[in-house]
Amino acid sequence: MQAQDDKLPVRRGLLAALLTAAFFVAPLLFFTGLTRNPYYLQIVILNLALLGASALFLLASLRRGTWLLPRAAASRPLAALGLIYLASFLLSWFGHAPFFRPAMASEGLKAGLFFLINVAAVFYLSYSVPFAGEGEEEPRAGRWLALVLGWGALWLLFPFLRTPPAGNGLLDRLLDPYGLLVWAAGFAAVWALVRRCRQEDVLHLALAAGVIASLYGILEYFHVEVVWAKLINPYGNRSVSTFGNPNFISTYVVILLPLAVSLLLKARGAAQRWFYGLAVLSYEGMLMCSLTRSSWIGAAAALALLFSFRSHREALKAGRRFLYPFFGAALLLLLFWPASSLKPLSSGLLDRVSEAVTNVNSPSDINLAGDTGRVYASLHQRLLIWTSAWQMGLQDPLLGNGWGQFELFYPFFQGRLMLAYPMARGLRTHANNAHNEVLEQWSQAGILGLGAFLWLLVVLFGGFLRFYRSAGPEAAYPAVPLAAGLAGALADNMLNVSLHFAVPALAFWWVAGALARRTAGAVQRGPWARPRLSAVLAWALLGACLAGAWFWQRQFKREFLYFEGFRAMRAGDARGAAESLFGAWQAHPREVNSNYEMGNAYVRSGDEQKGLWAYGEALKSNAGYDEIYFNRAIVLKRLGRLAEARADLRASTLINPMNLTAWQALAEAYLTDPGKAALAPEAVADFSEAVRVFPHDGNLWNTLGYFYTLAKDYKAARDAYGRGVLEDPENRMLAENLAGVSRQLGTVNDPDLAWLAAYSRLAASLSGTPGPGDLKAADGLVAAHPGNVKALALRAKLLFKAGRLDEAAADLRAVLAEDYADNSARYGLAVILEKKGDLKGAAAQWRAFLELEPGNSAVAARLKADSQGPAR
């Protein structure tokens, strides 16, 4: 028989302390001078708290002789999902070359721990925490309001009462006396409020933490910093608050916003209305400050689902005297929230929506081919990621490319897409996740993984709907906002990645567990069928919790030492940096950024052999970074290990074919090899790829032609030199090489040399006033090689001088259609559009120019002028 028990079977006080650490300390604590990622300490604290809470249940299970982590309807799909993830990883492990396996193990371990701790453990811990029984006291909103306002006010004094660190040690930076006092007071107050460990208490804690973070984020948005010496804005004016990324706090808010609204609808008395009203308005403000449009969609979906239930519509109607004006004011706040520029009378909502509408006018703009000439980074970068994710799943439609392997293998897929779609070349990124939850599951775990994930959602939402129909509106009312929050987060993550990061995942899976608990009735535990085997399993799981705690302690030490080494490198102390970074490697050897920086430090300090070893360790951590291969290749080339250098440079160009320097280094690695003649066929293959990537680079065509001559394929060499002359007619070496190989072949009146002569005569005419026959000669150049960007650009200049602006603009558009990265043509087109009075069109060209050259201040000034319109 299975025991049924609705009471919490562990020590409430200790569990309350661990939940306080998870829901209060982790989301709100961060340091700017402790680790490279200021929020890494949050992740460590959260995982330690979750492992500690899991250990409590395991110890209690051993004492009682029964399993106390309860069984849930979602257990089967969760278990199936975990097993599919494991099978997917193993299949990928054996399906990839041994070179990748250390990195696959590193990435797989991270993904596996996240699933076990941040997904499964959170869900079961939440499911284990009961709701308040009938007649039990509700959480007192007034006390939570006092905590938010009182504890938040104490931080206003921090800039004046903080003590400068006595040294650079860990404790020196951690233990500011006043800050420690404020945290101790806040922790004690929160513990007192949640010590009964009911779901209502934990959810109110999550609400309160969200309010504090949101208020802080709103101050950030308006350039008010109340904690640190300077404003922290790594994402421009998109507020990160205490979460490290605007997309993370926005999802956290989306999950909890329906709960805040639901509680406000039922609020009675000033304290409840003040607290829940503050939660709603601060969450709304934080969503606007984050400027995360996917979360705006998620919030809209969540609230739409919330009010699709009669229970909440009736509650809104019943409290209309207060609620109608309140939500009317909230709507006005939404419409008139200032844009990120903080200009008076601007609207952040309209600004961000109009930005998307302006850049994506029709469905035809939603492609990677660039057929319409429109590139909107926010959309097209996602298209690049989604296409890569789809192709990753196609490698094995049943089980995907391997769970946890997205970040490792994504760059290789992206590199091929950049080669196929020139428009996408300026959108290169190193994606951690797919930015779409369906593609996330598909790409890494295939149809089976996606199916199990959808099964889990069907169980959660299906259980909720059955409960709502059977329990009656009043009893089911508290379950609705939980389901709405989950639905909102899923809608958000059709364009976002936040559910794969620690704090947003905590909110999502805790709410999922709370929904499952609310809709499940009595909790089923056990059975402890085979006492000895069950005890061994429980002890093994307890040991795993301790090992996990040790693992996260080492992770934090590594991050601390990594930041020490990073700062030393920036200060020019390469030897000191290498020492700190080696310590980071000893703490935990599988972190790609730390190991890569260690390689750089060793090389700069003159120890190239250790540098090679460190770069190798970086590749064992994550083999998807082209920079690592490139830097290692440069060292190998310096040491005369040219074959190894070429292999690394090929890998670098495979991941990032747009790195022209890597192609040039590869050419040097061939040209300096004594056996280069024998290597000519290999070099021809490499540089045939290079000119596909850079078809308008004359030097690469010259290199390809040279290797064809080494291979004694003179006809192919002539063709390469000829193409190079057409693409780079100012390159004298190409012209000489073309003339030489043409003589060797006995070619009379080489057509490409004749075209070059005509081009040179016409280009010389630009220095004066072009004659009447020059435009006809330009037409002949274009007709000889339609689509040739040099001929089109030259004719555009002649047309411009002749005042034929529309025809000049047409030629420049043709150049950009052939070579999207040609900013000289884009500049000319923008100038023409300005002359024609089309300032909107000119501004679009300046924006595209700045996407490729973001540091050009002169173009930025012209964009600003054109965007403001003609002077009045």
Side-chain angles (χ1 to χ4, degrees):
M1 293 291 290
Q2 296 173 339
Q4 292 190 349
D5 184 8
D6 283 334
K7 295 181 180 179
L8 194 62
V10 298
R11 294 176 59 184
R12 293 173 184 263
L14 188 51
L15 181 60
L18 291 167
L19 293 177
T20 299
F23 282 93
F24 180 65
V25 180
L28 299 177
L29 178 66
F30 69 100
F31 286 87
T32 58
L34 196 63
T35 54
R36 177 85 191 277
N37 177 349
Y39 314 93
Y40 199 84
L41 185 59
Q42 292 182 339
I43 302 170
V44 174
I45 291 172
L46 175 58
N47 279 279
L48 291 176
L50 295 174
L51 289 166
S54 301
L56 282 183
F57 280 88
L58 291 168
L59 285 170
S61 297
L62 284 165
R63 284 196 301 268
R64 295 192 181 191
T66 186
W67 290 107
L68 297 180
L69 286 171
R71 300 177 64 182
S75 294
R76 287 184 178 179
L78 261 177
L81 195 59
L83 290 173
I84 290 168
Y85 286 167
L86 179 60
S88 171
F89 171 78
L90 291 174
L91 184 65
S92 181
W93 170 275
F94 290 110
H96 281 92
F99 168 79
F100 287 106
R101 290 176 184 170
M104 292 180 69
S106 174
E107 293 296 305
L109 178 63
K110 286 193 292 186
L113 288 175
F114 187 90
F115 176 76
L116 292 173
I117 300 173
N118 300 98
V119 175
V122 172
F123 176 83
Y124 281 109
L125 288 170
S126 177
Y127 191 78
S128 301
V129 174
F131 284 87
E134 189 174 347
E136 286 193 64
E137 182 185 34
E138 294 180 355
R140 295 192 179 182
R143 294 181 179 178
W144 287 106
L145 179 64
L147 171 78
V148 169
L149 298 179
W151 193 72
L154 290 176
W155 285 107
L156 297 177
L157 301 174
F158 180 73
F160 309 102
L161 299 178
R162 64 181 300 183
T163 303
N168 287 323
L170 176 61
L171 293 181
D172 293 320
R173 298 184 207 178
L174 276 173
L175 303 181
D176 175 83
Y178 180 74
L180 185 62
L181 179 65
V182 173
W183 272 111
F187 192 95
V190 169
W191 180 86
L193 289 170
V194 300
R195 67 184 184 277
R196 290 171 296 187
C197 284
R198 304 173 308 175
Q199 276 289 355
E200 291 88 346
D201 300 318
V202 179
L203 291 172
H204 273 71
L205 170 55
L207 280 174
V211 172
I212 294 169
S214 295
L215 292 174
Y216 181 54
I218 292 169
L219 290 174
E220 276 186 327
Y221 190 78
F222 290 99
H223 300 170
V224 177
E225 177 55 65
V226 297
V227 176
W228 303 110
K230 64 178 182 179
L231 189 69
I232 302 172
N233 55 351
Y235 293 86
N237 210 37
R238 297 183 64 195
S239 294
V240 299
S241 184
T242 61
F243 277 57
N245 188 307
N247 297 350
F248 298 169
I249 188 169
S250 64
T251 298
Y252 186 92
V253 163
V254 166
I255 295 167
L256 295 174
L257 179 61
L259 179 60
V261 170
S262 181
L263 291 168
L264 180 64
L265 296 178
K266 289 282 190 176
R268 299 295 179 266
Q272 289 187 345
R273 285 178 174 173
W274 273 101
F275 178 62
Y276 301 133
L278 177 63
V280 172
L281 293 178
S282 66
Y283 288 179
E284 179 186 14
M286 187 63 241
L287 280 170
M288 299 308 300
C289 293
S290 73
L291 300 177
T292 307
R293 285 169 295 196
S294 65
S295 293
W296 296 356
I297 295 170
L303 294 178
L305 181 60
L306 186 78
F307 285 108
S308 70
F309 289 90
R310 180 183 297 176
S311 58
H312 283 71
R313 295 197 302 273
E314 290 178 350
L316 176 63
K317 187 176 180 180
R320 59 184 176 274
R321 290 185 60 186
F322 165 72
L323 294 173
Y324 283 7
F326 177 87
F327 286 116
L331 181 60
L332 290 175
L333 182 66
L334 179 69
L335 291 174
F336 293 104
W337 190 270
S340 59
S341 61
L342 301 184
K343 291 180 181 178
L345 303 179
S346 63
S347 169
L349 178 66
L350 296 178
D351 188 54
R352 289 287 276 173
V353 172
S354 64
E355 177 189 318
V357 172
T358 300
N359 287 282
V360 185
N361 288 334
S362 69
S364 62
D365 291 329
I366 306 174
N367 67 75
L368 285 177
D371 298 336
T372 64
R374 292 181 177 274
V375 180
Y376 182 41
S378 295
L379 170 68
H380 289 95
Q381 192 174 74
R382 279 180 170 79
L383 288 177
L384 180 63
I385 296 170
W386 293 341
T387 306
S388 298
W390 175 253
Q391 292 180 346
M392 290 171 76
L394 288 177
Q395 284 208 324
D396 188 326
L398 196 63
L399 284 171
N401 194 50
W403 186 250
Q405 306 307 306
F406 189 92
E407 183 180 0
L408 171 58
F409 291 117
Y410 167 79
F412 296 93
F413 289 85
Q414 177 184 242
R416 297 302 88 191
L417 288 172
M418 289 166 61
L419 186 60
Y421 298 106
M423 182 273 286
R425 293 174 182 178
L427 303 174
R428 180 175 174 268
T429 184
H430 196 98
N432 302 90
N433 301 92
H435 287 72
N436 178 285
E437 196 56 37
V438 171
L439 288 172
E440 182 79 19
Q441 301 295 329
W442 155 261
S443 63
Q444 297 178 85
I447 293 172
L448 291 180
L450 177 59
F453 183 75
L454 294 176
W455 178 21
L456 174 60
L457 297 182
V458 167
V459 168
L460 287 172
F461 286 100
F464 158 70
L465 290 173
R466 287 192 298 273
F467 174 76
Y468 187 86
R469 294 191 193 102
S470 62
E474 190 62 30
Y477 182 92
V480 174
L482 303 178
L486 296 180
L490 290 168
D492 177 7
N493 274 259
M494 292 299 104
L495 295 163
N496 202 346
V497 299
S498 50
L499 292 183
H500 299 276
F501 291 84
V503 176
L506 169 71
F508 182 87
W509 291 106
W510 188 275
V511 169
L515 177 66
R517 178 71 185 239
R518 171 66 79 177
T519 58
V523 171
Q524 295 183 337
R525 308 185 192 278
W528 194 266
R530 297 180 180 179
R532 288 186 178 180
L533 182 60
S534 295
V536 169
L537 180 58
W539 278 112
L541 290 173
L542 188 60
C545 289
L546 293 174
W550 178 86
F551 172 83
W552 281 107
Q553 173 270 137
R554 302 298 292 177
Q555 292 270 64
F556 178 73
K557 183 177 180 181
R558 180 207 65 211
E559 284 296 307
F560 177 76
L561 291 172
Y562 166 41
F563 190 49
E564 290 289 286
F566 178 83
R567 294 201 301 183
M569 280 287 284
R570 297 306 175 269
D573 181 11
R575 290 188 181 277
E579 183 178 344
S580 294
L581 292 164
F582 181 70
W585 177 85
Q586 288 178 310
H588 183 262
R590 290 292 169 262
E591 208 292 318
V592 62
N593 296 296
S594 178
N595 292 341
Y596 173 64
E597 196 75 16
M598 178 170 59
N600 293 338
Y602 277 129
V603 171
R604 290 186 189 180
S605 63
D607 196 337
E608 294 182 328
Q609 292 297 338
K610 283 188 177 179
L612 290 178
W613 166 79
Y615 289 139
E617 290 299 295
L619 292 173
K620 288 178 181 178
S621 304
N622 187 320
Y625 285 85
D626 65 289
E627 305 97 313
I628 306 172
Y629 294 99
F630 179 82
N631 283 16
R632 190 170 74 163
I634 298 304
V635 177
L636 288 166
K637 190 158 67 74
R638 202 178 295 158
L639 296 173
R641 295 160 62 177
L642 297 177
E644 296 170 81
R646 289 192 293 271
D648 274 357
L649 287 167
R650 284 194 206 95
S652 180
T653 56
L654 179 67
I655 296 170
N656 180 15
M658 299 311 301
N659 186 355
L660 180 59
T661 306
W663 290 111
Q664 293 167 344
L666 182 57
E668 292 175 13
Y670 276 114
L671 294 171
T672 55
D673 195 307
K676 59 186 176 185
L679 296 170
E682 184 182 303
V684 163
D686 284 335
F687 284 91
S688 295
E689 179 88 344
V691 295
R692 283 185 62 204
V693 182
F694 295 100
H696 308 296
D697 189 296
N699 290 323
L700 289 179
W701 283 107
N702 193 50
T703 301
L704 177 60
Y706 174 75
F707 285 121
Y708 271 126
T709 61
L710 284 183
K712 301 188 184 309
D713 188 345
Y714 299 111
K715 183 179 184 306
R718 195 231 73 85
D719 292 342
Y721 289 136
R723 176 64 184 273
V725 161
L726 296 175
E727 300 295 348
D728 189 4
E730 287 83 15
N731 191 319
R732 297 181 64 180
M733 182 178 291
L734 268 169
E736 292 171 4
N737 288 341
L738 174 58
V741 78
S742 293
R743 284 194 300 270
Q744 191 166 356
L745 289 170
T747 304
V748 180
N749 298 324
D750 186 289
D752 291 330
L753 286 173
W755 182 93
L756 175 60
Y759 178 93
S760 300
R761 286 194 299 270
L762 197 57
S765 71
L766 285 171
S767 59
T769 302
D774 289 334
L775 280 174
K776 185 176 180 180
D779 291 340
L781 282 176
V782 173
H785 293 283
N788 180 273
V789 295
K790 291 295 185 179
L792 287 167
L794 180 57
R795 187 171 68 176
K797 292 176 183 178
L798 292 166
L799 289 166
F800 180 83
K801 281 200 164 191
R804 294 160 63 173
L805 299 184
D806 288 337
E807 294 169 86
D811 273 354
L812 291 174
R813 292 186 191 279
V815 171
L816 291 171
E818 177 66 25
D819 184 8
Y820 180 82
D822 191 336
N823 261 355
S824 62
R826 184 169 284 109
Y827 191 100
L829 177 58
V831 169
I832 290 173
L833 293 172
E834 284 180 343
K835 282 184 172 293
K836 289 171 58 63
D838 184 2
L839 299 186
K840 184 178 179 181
Q845 295 302 323
W846 295 132
R847 275 192 291 270
F849 189 108
L850 290 171
E851 286 178 3
L852 296 169
E853 296 182 39
N856 194 312
S857 57
V859 168
R862 296 189 77 150
L863 170 61
K864 183 178 180 181
D866 288 347
S867 299
Q868 292 173 347
R872 295 181 179 179

